[in-house]
Amino acid sequence: SQTIHQWPATLVQPVGSPLSLECTVEGTSNPNLYWYRQAAGRGLQLLFYSVGIGQISSEVPQNLSASRPQDRQFILSSKKLLLSDSGFYLCAWTHGGNQPQHFGDGTRLSIL
Amino acid sequence: GQQVMQIPQYQHVQEGEDFTTYCNSSTTLSNIQWYKQRPGGHPVFLIQLVKSGEVKKQKRLTFQFGEAKKNSSLHITATQTTDVGTYFCAGPRPNAGGTSYGKLTFGQGTILTVHP
């Protein structure tokens, strides 16, 4: 069966520090991958998606970037974190089309 | 751009009462999906509706897709404390070329609180 892993589960970082969040999927190949951010009590904002290795599309201009170095690995990064980068970051995968999305457990990021 | 709106934003009910959340899209949708997020958890897929006017049931949950495929609803009969969480609807989010690549536009969600 397919599983999706995200780490770390929680992270506290100072303003201006770098960021790297990792997401891996097991049990499937060539998934579509997505990064979302969720502010407290709010909906999910799509940040990036990828349909293949090295292919990244950004949905909103921001301080973050994404990379997909391997088929089942998706990384969210920042060179310098801002206070506004705080939130709950979720990675998800699907086989595309109209298939449902499957989410990881998320990373709670607090910026001090 | 495409917008998906949900109402109400919050709903507080006594255990045993019914609950309904409504979802409206600014564009016609090929399908609509519903997700549930428990407090502190991640969204979990509940169901997908595809056909105009479709109604699907999962135990006490009834999902409906509007005739015009622009609105949907989720109704929970006789809520239980296990129903607590945020319910999201989501529709395909196509690029300018019309391909969604599985992307979704999520509504803001309805936060359900159930008092025992």
Side-chain angles (χ1 to χ4, degrees):
Chain A
S1 63
Q2 302 93 350
T3 55
I4 179 169
H5 303 279
Q6 265 189 263
W7 65 92
T10 60
L11 190 59
V12 181
Q13 292 284 96
V15 169
S17 64
L19 173 74
S20 181
L21 302 181
E22 190 161 342
C23 170
T24 59
V25 180
E26 295 178 357
T28 188
S29 59
N30 197 31
N32 288 358
L33 297 170
Y34 310 87
W35 277 112
Y36 290 90
R37 177 169 57 209
Q38 185 177 33
R42 303 300 301 277
L44 287 79
Q45 180 187 34
L46 179 63
L47 303 176
F48 300 96
Y49 72 97
S50 171
V51 299
I53 297 174
Q55 299 179 54
I56 307 295
S57 295
S58 174
E59 287 291 296
V60 292
Q62 59 206 310
N63 182 42
L64 302 168
S65 62
S67 62
R68 185 170 178 175
Q70 300 180 46
D71 180 45
R72 289 170 289 178
Q73 184 184 29
F74 205 21
I75 297 172
L76 184 68
S77 304
S78 174
K79 293 182 179 178
K80 279 188 175 184
L81 286 167
L82 306 172
L83 282 173
S84 57
D85 291 324
S86 292
F88 187 40
Y89 288 84
L90 289 155
C91 180
W93 76 271
T94 183
H95 275 141
N98 294 321
Q99 297 299 309
Q101 292 193 3
H102 305 278
F103 289 83
D105 289 338
T107 295
R108 296 197 182 279
L109 175 63
S110 298
I111 310 299
L112 302 178
Chain B
Q2 178 193 51
Q3 292 185 34
V4 176
M5 293 150 286
Q6 266 184 270
I7 55 170
Q9 187 174 359
Y10 302 94
Q11 187 73 59
H12 308 279
V13 300
Q14 288 293 131
E15 190 172 19
E17 291 181 341
D18 292 357
F19 159 76
T20 304
T21 175
Y22 300 91
C23 178
N24 288 284
S25 170
S26 59
T27 59
T28 302
L29 301 172
S30 60
N31 71 88
I32 194 157
Q33 300 178 19
W34 285 90
Y35 293 76
K36 176 184 179 180
Q37 184 177 23
R38 294 183 185 274
H42 59 271
V44 175
F45 173 76
L46 293 176
I47 208 162
Q48 181 184 68
L49 304 170
V50 178
K51 299 176 183 177
S52 170
E54 187 170 16
V55 178
K56 286 189 175 180
K57 292 190 175 185
Q58 287 180 349
K59 297 183 181 178
R60 295 177 294 103
L61 278 62
T62 301
F63 303 84
Q64 193 163 8
F65 201 10
E67 294 290 339
K69 301 183 78 172
K70 294 183 72 173
N71 57 74
S72 182
S73 64
L74 158 59
H75 179 81
I76 302 179
T77 304
T79 54
Q80 300 175 359
T81 54
T82 53
D83 295 325
V84 164
T86 303
Y87 292 85
F88 293 99
C89 62
R93 181 186 177 127
N95 289 346
T99 303
S100 70
Y101 299 106
K103 293 182 297 171
L104 296 171
T105 298
F106 281 82
Q108 287 298 300
T110 296
I111 300 173
L112 174 64
T113 305
V114 180
H115 299 285

